[in-house]
mmCIF file with all atom_site columns, all heavy atoms in Angstrom:
data_model
loop_
_atom_site.group_PDB
_atom_site.id
_atom_site.type_symbol
_atom_site.label_atom_id
_atom_site.label_alt_id
_atom_site.label_comp_id
_atom_site.label_asym_id
_atom_site.label_entity_id
_atom_site.label_seq_id
_atom_site.pdbx_PDB_ins_code
_atom_site.Cartn_x
_atom_site.Cartn_y
_atom_site.Cartn_z
_atom_site.occupancy
_atom_site.B_iso_or_equiv
_atom_site.pdbx_formal_charge
_atom_site.auth_seq_id
_atom_site.auth_comp_id
_atom_site.auth_asym_id
_atom_site.auth_atom_id
_atom_site.pdbx_PDB_model_num
ATOM 1  N N   . VAL H 1 92  ? 11.913 45.696 -32.148 1.00 0.00 ? 92  VAL H N   1
ATOM 2  C CA  . VAL H 1 92  ? 11.579 46.979 -31.549 1.00 0.00 ? 92  VAL H CA  1
ATOM 3  C C   . VAL H 1 92  ? 11.677 48.107 -32.481 1.00 0.00 ? 92  VAL H C   1
ATOM 4  O O   . VAL H 1 92  ? 12.715 48.359 -33.116 1.00 0.00 ? 92  VAL H O   1
ATOM 5  C CB  . VAL H 1 92  ? 12.560 47.109 -30.299 1.00 0.00 ? 92  VAL H CB  1
ATOM 6  C CG1 . VAL H 1 92  ? 12.179 48.487 -29.565 1.00 0.00 ? 92  VAL H CG1 1
ATOM 7  C CG2 . VAL H 1 92  ? 12.408 45.925 -29.331 1.00 0.00 ? 92  VAL H CG2 1
ATOM 8  N N   . PHE H 1 93  ? 10.593 48.918 -32.528 1.00 0.00 ? 93  PHE H N   1
ATOM 9  C CA  . PHE H 1 93  ? 10.564 50.057 -33.404 1.00 0.00 ? 93  PHE H CA  1
ATOM 10 C C   . PHE H 1 93  ? 10.660 51.310 -32.580 1.00 0.00 ? 93  PHE H C   1
ATOM 11 O O   . PHE H 1 93  ? 9.912  51.542 -31.656 1.00 0.00 ? 93  PHE H O   1
ATOM 12 C CB  . PHE H 1 93  ? 9.254  50.069 -34.143 1.00 0.00 ? 93  PHE H CB  1
ATOM 13 C CG  . PHE H 1 93  ? 9.062  51.171 -35.149 1.00 0.00 ? 93  PHE H CG  1
ATOM 14 C CD1 . PHE H 1 93  ? 9.974  51.307 -36.219 1.00 0.00 ? 93  PHE H CD1 1
ATOM 15 C CD2 . PHE H 1 93  ? 8.068  52.152 -35.035 1.00 0.00 ? 93  PHE H CD2 1
ATOM 16 C CE1 . PHE H 1 93  ? 9.836  52.373 -37.139 1.00 0.00 ? 93  PHE H CE1 1
ATOM 17 C CE2 . PHE H 1 93  ? 7.918  53.091 -35.969 1.00 0.00 ? 93  PHE H CE2 1
ATOM 18 C CZ  . PHE H 1 93  ? 8.841  53.238 -37.054 1.00 0.00 ? 93  PHE H CZ  1
ATOM 19 N N   . VAL H 1 94  ? 11.714 52.078 -32.779 1.00 0.00 ? 94  VAL H N   1
ATOM 20 C CA  . VAL H 1 94  ? 12.060 53.232 -31.907 1.00 0.00 ? 94  VAL H CA  1
ATOM 21 C C   . VAL H 1 94  ? 11.747 54.523 -32.663 1.00 0.00 ? 94  VAL H C   1
ATOM 22 O O   . VAL H 1 94  ? 12.233 54.743 -33.781 1.00 0.00 ? 94  VAL H O   1
ATOM 23 C CB  . VAL H 1 94  ? 13.564 53.174 -31.514 1.00 0.00 ? 94  VAL H CB  1
ATOM 24 C CG1 . VAL H 1 94  ? 13.850 54.369 -30.619 1.00 0.00 ? 94  VAL H CG1 1
ATOM 25 C CG2 . VAL H 1 94  ? 13.867 51.927 -30.783 1.00 0.00 ? 94  VAL H CG2 1
ATOM 26 N N   . ILE H 1 95  ? 10.952 55.394 -32.081 1.00 0.00 ? 95  ILE H N   1
ATOM 27 C CA  . ILE H 1 95  ? 10.580 56.699 -32.701 1.00 0.00 ? 95  ILE H CA  1
ATOM 28 C C   . ILE H 1 95  ? 11.282 57.765 -31.944 1.00 0.00 ? 95  ILE H C   1
ATOM 29 O O   . ILE H 1 95  ? 11.144 57.858 -30.704 1.00 0.00 ? 95  ILE H O   1
ATOM 30 C CB  . ILE H 1 95  ? 9.059  56.915 -32.719 1.00 0.00 ? 95  ILE H CB  1
ATOM 31 C CG1 . ILE H 1 95  ? 8.336  55.678 -33.282 1.00 0.00 ? 95  ILE H CG1 1
ATOM 32 C CG2 . ILE H 1 95  ? 8.690  58.191 -33.382 1.00 0.00 ? 95  ILE H CG2 1
ATOM 33 C CD1 . ILE H 1 95  ? 6.840  55.786 -33.280 1.00 0.00 ? 95  ILE H CD1 1
ATOM 34 N N   . VAL H 1 96  ? 11.939 58.605 -32.647 1.00 0.00 ? 96  VAL H N   1
ATOM 35 C CA  . VAL H 1 96  ? 12.785 59.634 -32.054 1.00 0.00 ? 96  VAL H CA  1
ATOM 36 C C   . VAL H 1 96  ? 11.981 60.941 -31.907 1.00 0.00 ? 96  VAL H C   1
ATOM 37 O O   . VAL H 1 96  ? 11.301 61.314 -32.896 1.00 0.00 ? 96  VAL H O   1
ATOM 38 C CB  . VAL H 1 96  ? 14.075 59.910 -32.839 1.00 0.00 ? 96  VAL H CB  1
ATOM 39 C CG1 . VAL H 1 96  ? 14.929 61.052 -32.164 1.00 0.00 ? 96  VAL H CG1 1
ATOM 40 C CG2 . VAL H 1 96  ? 14.905 58.570 -32.913 1.00 0.00 ? 96  VAL H CG2 1
ATOM 41 N N   . SER H 1 97  ? 12.125 61.596 -30.862 1.00 0.00 ? 97  SER H N   1
ATOM 42 C CA  . SER H 1 97  ? 11.464 62.933 -30.664 1.00 0.00 ? 97  SER H CA  1
ATOM 43 C C   . SER H 1 97  ? 11.915 63.931 -31.623 1.00 0.00 ? 97  SER H C   1
ATOM 44 O O   . SER H 1 97  ? 13.119 63.974 -31.996 1.00 0.00 ? 97  SER H O   1
ATOM 45 C CB  . SER H 1 97  ? 11.721 63.415 -29.213 1.00 0.00 ? 97  SER H CB  1
ATOM 46 O OG  . SER H 1 97  ? 11.349 64.785 -29.043 1.00 0.00 ? 97  SER H OG  1
ATOM 47 N N   . PRO H 1 98  ? 11.114 64.833 -32.176 1.00 0.00 ? 98  PRO H N   1
ATOM 48 C CA  . PRO H 1 98  ? 11.453 65.794 -33.095 1.00 0.00 ? 98  PRO H CA  1
ATOM 49 C C   . PRO H 1 98  ? 12.484 66.750 -32.541 1.00 0.00 ? 98  PRO H C   1
ATOM 50 O O   . PRO H 1 98  ? 13.269 67.317 -33.311 1.00 0.00 ? 98  PRO H O   1
ATOM 51 C CB  . PRO H 1 98  ? 10.164 66.539 -33.404 1.00 0.00 ? 98  PRO H CB  1
ATOM 52 C CG  . PRO H 1 98  ? 9.100  65.556 -33.098 1.00 0.00 ? 98  PRO H CG  1
ATOM 53 C CD  . PRO H 1 98  ? 9.562  64.787 -31.922 1.00 0.00 ? 98  PRO H CD  1
ATOM 54 N N   . GLU H 1 99  ? 12.552 66.979 -31.194 1.00 0.00 ? 99  GLU H N   1
ATOM 55 C CA  . GLU H 1 99  ? 13.495 67.737 -30.625 1.00 0.00 ? 99  GLU H CA  1
ATOM 56 C C   . GLU H 1 99  ? 14.934 67.243 -30.607 1.00 0.00 ? 99  GLU H C   1
ATOM 57 O O   . GLU H 1 99  ? 15.954 68.048 -30.520 1.00 0.00 ? 99  GLU H O   1
ATOM 58 C CB  . GLU H 1 99  ? 13.179 68.048 -29.113 1.00 0.00 ? 99  GLU H CB  1
ATOM 59 C CG  . GLU H 1 99  ? 11.860 68.885 -28.995 1.00 0.00 ? 99  GLU H CG  1
ATOM 60 C CD  . GLU H 1 99  ? 10.683 67.999 -28.847 1.00 0.00 ? 99  GLU H CD  1
ATOM 61 O OE1 . GLU H 1 99  ? 10.768 66.831 -29.122 1.00 0.00 ? 99  GLU H OE1 1
ATOM 62 O OE2 . GLU H 1 99  ? 9.559  68.537 -28.491 1.00 0.00 ? 99  GLU H OE2 1
ATOM 63 N N   . ALA H 1 100 ? 15.086 65.947 -30.837 1.00 0.00 ? 100 ALA H N   1
ATOM 64 C CA  . ALA H 1 100 ? 16.428 65.327 -30.812 1.00 0.00 ? 100 ALA H CA  1
ATOM 65 C C   . ALA H 1 100 ? 17.147 65.721 -32.085 1.00 0.00 ? 100 ALA H C   1
ATOM 66 O O   . ALA H 1 100 ? 16.678 65.571 -33.207 1.00 0.00 ? 100 ALA H O   1
ATOM 67 C CB  . ALA H 1 100 ? 16.283 63.870 -30.700 1.00 0.00 ? 100 ALA H CB  1
ATOM 68 N N   . ALA H 1 101 ? 18.365 66.269 -31.870 1.00 0.00 ? 101 ALA H N   1
ATOM 69 C CA  . ALA H 1 101 ? 19.222 66.611 -32.996 1.00 0.00 ? 101 ALA H CA  1
ATOM 70 C C   . ALA H 1 101 ? 20.107 65.495 -33.363 1.00 0.00 ? 101 ALA H C   1
ATOM 71 O O   . ALA H 1 101 ? 21.142 65.309 -32.738 1.00 0.00 ? 101 ALA H O   1
ATOM 72 C CB  . ALA H 1 101 ? 20.021 67.889 -32.674 1.00 0.00 ? 101 ALA H CB  1
ATOM 73 N N   . LEU H 1 102 ? 19.733 64.675 -34.338 1.00 0.00 ? 102 LEU H N   1
ATOM 74 C CA  . LEU H 1 102 ? 20.513 63.582 -34.687 1.00 0.00 ? 102 LEU H CA  1
ATOM 75 C C   . LEU H 1 102 ? 21.575 63.908 -35.685 1.00 0.00 ? 102 LEU H C   1
ATOM 76 O O   . LEU H 1 102 ? 21.307 64.761 -36.599 1.00 0.00 ? 102 LEU H O   1
ATOM 77 C CB  . LEU H 1 102 ? 19.627 62.478 -35.301 1.00 0.00 ? 102 LEU H CB  1
ATOM 78 C CG  . LEU H 1 102 ? 18.566 61.883 -34.403 1.00 0.00 ? 102 LEU H CG  1
ATOM 79 C CD1 . LEU H 1 102 ? 17.733 60.810 -35.164 1.00 0.00 ? 102 LEU H CD1 1
ATOM 80 C CD2 . LEU H 1 102 ? 19.157 61.168 -33.167 1.00 0.00 ? 102 LEU H CD2 1
ATOM 81 N N   . PRO H 1 103 ? 22.775 63.347 -35.622 1.00 0.00 ? 103 PRO H N   1
ATOM 82 C CA  . PRO H 1 103 ? 23.765 63.648 -36.655 1.00 0.00 ? 103 PRO H CA  1
ATOM 83 C C   . PRO H 1 103 ? 23.301 63.173 -38.013 1.00 0.00 ? 103 PRO H C   1
ATOM 84 O O   . PRO H 1 103 ? 22.495 62.221 -38.123 1.00 0.00 ? 103 PRO H O   1
ATOM 85 C CB  . PRO H 1 103 ? 25.050 62.812 -36.115 1.00 0.00 ? 103 PRO H CB  1
ATOM 86 C CG  . PRO H 1 103 ? 24.780 62.560 -34.763 1.00 0.00 ? 103 PRO H CG  1
ATOM 87 C CD  . PRO H 1 103 ? 23.209 62.459 -34.598 1.00 0.00 ? 103 PRO H CD  1
#
Side-chain angles (χ1 to χ4, degrees):
V92 179
F93 183 61
V94 181
I95 305 175
V96 179
S97 169
E99 292 91 349
L102 297 180

